[in-house]
Amino acid sequence: YLGISNATDAEIESVVDAAGKDSKKCKRTVGNVVSRRAHIGWSTGGHTGADVGLYAYGSGSSAFHGNMDNTQVGQALAAYLGVSLGVATNVVQRSSTLVLAKRQPTASLLHKPYVDHS
């Protein structure tokens, strides 16, 4: 689901460790792993409510203008790409697990982590 099929041992351990603490810590840890791989940096840990400049040029850019609600941006992108947001949402919601592991047993990012009881 997240496109990570080659998670490092350190990444797996960090997610499993965080999942053992609480779901918020686990979500933040998964976000950090994905952000590092995507070379994305964040200046805040939450939403500020401030307007954010969005610039578009080229084919389809006329759909982006003035002040737009974040949902309008998503709808304009979906229309340009010919993607059904309803279908995409259903696919995501039907996913039973998100796996961030390259080995078994796996750590699920939606369910409680695997715990070795031996």
Side-chain angles (χ1 to χ4, degrees), residues 46-65:
H47 296 279
T48 64
D51 286 342
V52 175
L54 175 66
Y55 303 93
Y57 62 92
S59 177
S61 63
S62 62
F64 302 93
H65 53 81

Side-chain angles (χ1 to χ4, degrees), residues 22-109:
D22 64 61
S23 65
K24 187 173 183 179
K25 174 84 171 156
C26 183
K27 290 175 187 176
R28 185 172 296 277
T29 302
V30 170
N32 288 337
V33 168
V34 173
S35 295
R36 271 194 308 275
R37 285 172 167 260
H39 303 287
I40 297 172
W42 303 98
S43 60
T44 147
H47 296 279
T48 64
D51 286 342
V52 175
L54 175 66
Y55 303 93
Y57 62 92
S59 177
S61 63
S62 62
F64 302 93
H65 53 81
N67 289 327
M68 296 178 71
D69 183 76
N70 64 326
T71 59
Q72 292 172 309
V73 174
Q75 290 165 351
L77 286 169
Y80 178 75
L81 296 171
V83 174
S84 166
L85 292 178
V87 170
T89 299
N90 288 335
V91 168
V92 170
Q93 289 176 341
R94 280 193 316 249
S95 287
S96 60
T97 60
L98 303 177
V99 177
L100 178 69
K102 61 183 176 184
R103 62 181 182 202
Q104 293 295 326
T106 61
S108 166
L109 303 183

